[in-house]
Amino acid sequence: MSFEFTEKEKLRVALSSLVGTQLDPIGYTDLATILVCASVYLIQLAAVAYVVVNRKYAPIRALSPLSLAVMYAGSVVWFVGDVFTDDMAHPRGITTNCIVTTVWLRMVLGQNVVFGVLLVHAVLAMLRYTFHIDTTHSSRRRWIQFIATAGFAACDIALAIVATLLPKDRTVRFVDVLDVCEFKQAFKDMGVVQAWLLWGASFLISALVASKARCAHNEGRNLVAACVALSAALTFHTVVYYRKPMYPATLGWRIAAVCINQASCLVAWWIIAGRTIYGCILYRDVYLAEWEERNNDNNSVHSTDNKAY
């Protein structure tokens, strides 16, 4: 994978100008961006490993280490999809199939997985704090998570299969001369609407929990904050999709798109898990005692509320 200004790259730039597009060549700035993002994800992998290793520690167990690991994996896959969709690297082999990079990697296994984890967390918080259903019990929590995740995954994969089976002239196709993916307007609109609907469901449920329920560990507020962080990526892409459809051709726009996406994912992950990891590392026993006290206080409040009815 070359990042030098080769003769083939010069030809690509020249051909793009003939069709009215000013194309910035793929170069070392793109490579530097890829390496920086990859390095950040490698560092975060240590945090994910720490969560998995300490999964039996009650405050971490309550966050669901598996879902945090899945959210991290979804962010990484989203990043890989971004690299090829946003023209930061020359596609080769299977990456020239735009359905693979834009639908399966970027949307289904990337963006939707990240939003899906937030949605499942929001549903669990709503059941616990709004409907007073005990989701801290491990077997009950696993069943609820399984049902919610399976339902979401089935819809997500069904959408991707439909997009894969549709003719490429109705979805997205690879323009071989320019090495870019060209989206059909209707398909682009569907992707944007689907992303905002998924984000909106997560945000509304989280906001309902945050405003109507007394959360033991500020889960509602944390989920709202995570949704707000991810809204930066959605807002940016919605604007550039319609105001500058060929944004990957411009170096500054494509780097901004990738960096905003990955920064939003990282911030959302740390909003959910950061405080617990910090407490577990620096004052493990004290934090556990405080966590259990808040948990007990919250359960007492809910018990009193139920008796009042």
Side-chain angles (χ1 to χ4, degrees):
M1 188 178 294
S2 175
F3 290 89
E4 296 182 353
F5 194 42
T6 60
E7 291 300 321
K8 184 177 180 180
E9 185 67 359
K10 291 178 183 177
L11 178 61
R12 191 170 78 101
V13 173
L15 289 174
S16 68
S17 64
L18 293 178
V19 296
T21 301
Q22 185 63 41
L23 180 67
D24 291 337
I26 296 172
Y28 288 107
T29 304
D30 296 285
L31 176 60
T33 304
I34 293 171
L35 292 176
V36 169
C37 290
S39 299
V40 172
Y41 275 118
L42 282 175
I43 294 171
Q44 192 190 1
L45 181 60
V48 176
Y50 184 85
V51 166
V52 173
V53 169
N54 291 274
R55 62 189 178 277
K56 294 185 178 179
Y57 181 66
I60 288 179
R61 187 173 64 241
L63 294 176
S64 181
L66 178 60
S67 67
L68 291 176
V70 169
M71 186 176 180
Y72 168 80
S75 301
V76 173
V77 175
W78 189 351
F79 168 60
V80 174
D82 270 351
V83 166
F84 292 103
T85 303
D86 289 342
D87 201 28
M88 296 191 72
H90 294 290
R92 295 289 182 271
I94 195 171
T95 56
T96 59
N97 186 332
C98 292
I99 291 293
V100 171
T101 56
T102 62
V103 176
W104 285 98
L105 294 181
R106 187 181 192 180
M107 185 172 72
V108 174
L109 299 177
Q111 168 191 282
N112 289 2
V113 166
V114 173
F115 291 162
V117 169
L118 285 184
L119 182 58
V120 171
H121 273 259
V123 169
L124 286 170
M126 180 179 67
L127 291 176
R128 181 181 180 188
Y129 296 114
T130 304
F131 296 102
H132 307 320
I133 298 174
D134 182 15
T135 58
T136 58
H137 191 275
S138 58
S139 60
R140 180 178 295 175
R141 183 185 180 93
R142 280 197 296 269
W143 273 109
I144 294 173
Q145 279 188 306
F146 173 77
I147 293 170
T149 303
F152 171 78
C155 296
D156 199 22
I157 293 174
L159 177 66
I161 291 174
V162 170
T164 303
L165 296 177
L166 285 173
K168 291 182 179 179
D169 60 357
R170 295 178 60 185
T171 54
V172 56
R173 67 184 182 91
F174 183 69
V175 182
D176 187 52
V177 176
L178 302 179
D179 274 2
V180 296
C181 293
E182 182 185 59
F183 293 87
K184 295 302 177 181
Q185 188 63 46
F187 184 71
K188 183 191 296 184
D189 295 341
M190 182 203 71
V192 171
V193 170
Q194 180 262 344
W196 276 109
L197 286 175
L198 186 53
W199 177 88
S202 302
F203 179 80
L204 288 176
I205 295 174
S206 301
L208 176 66
V209 174
S211 62
K212 300 294 184 181
R214 183 178 182 273
C215 299
H217 312 288
N218 293 322
E219 292 94 332
R221 292 181 182 178
N222 289 344
L223 288 169
V224 168
C227 288
V228 170
L230 287 169
S231 71
L234 278 183
T235 301
F236 179 85
H237 274 82
T238 301
V239 172
V240 297
Y241 274 165
Y242 294 106
R243 299 292 295 176
K244 196 174 178 61
M246 285 298 293
Y247 74 91
T250 305
L251 178 63
W253 282 108
R254 65 177 179 251
I255 288 178
V258 171
C259 290
I260 289 174
N261 278 350
Q262 306 320 310
S264 297
C265 291
L266 289 169
V267 169
W269 194 93
W270 281 102
I271 286 173
I272 294 172
R275 182 182 178 186
T276 301
I277 293 174
Y278 176 81
C280 181
I281 292 174
L282 294 185
Y283 46 104
R284 187 184 184 93
D285 294 335
V286 173
Y287 183 77
L288 177 59
E290 292 177 351
W291 183 87
E292 290 177 338
E293 183 180 355
R294 288 196 301 271
N295 225 31
N296 293 333
D297 289 345
N298 188 266
N299 289 337
S300 298
V301 170
H302 286 163
S303 235
T304 303
D305 291 343
N306 289 336
K307 288 178 182 178
Y309 289 103

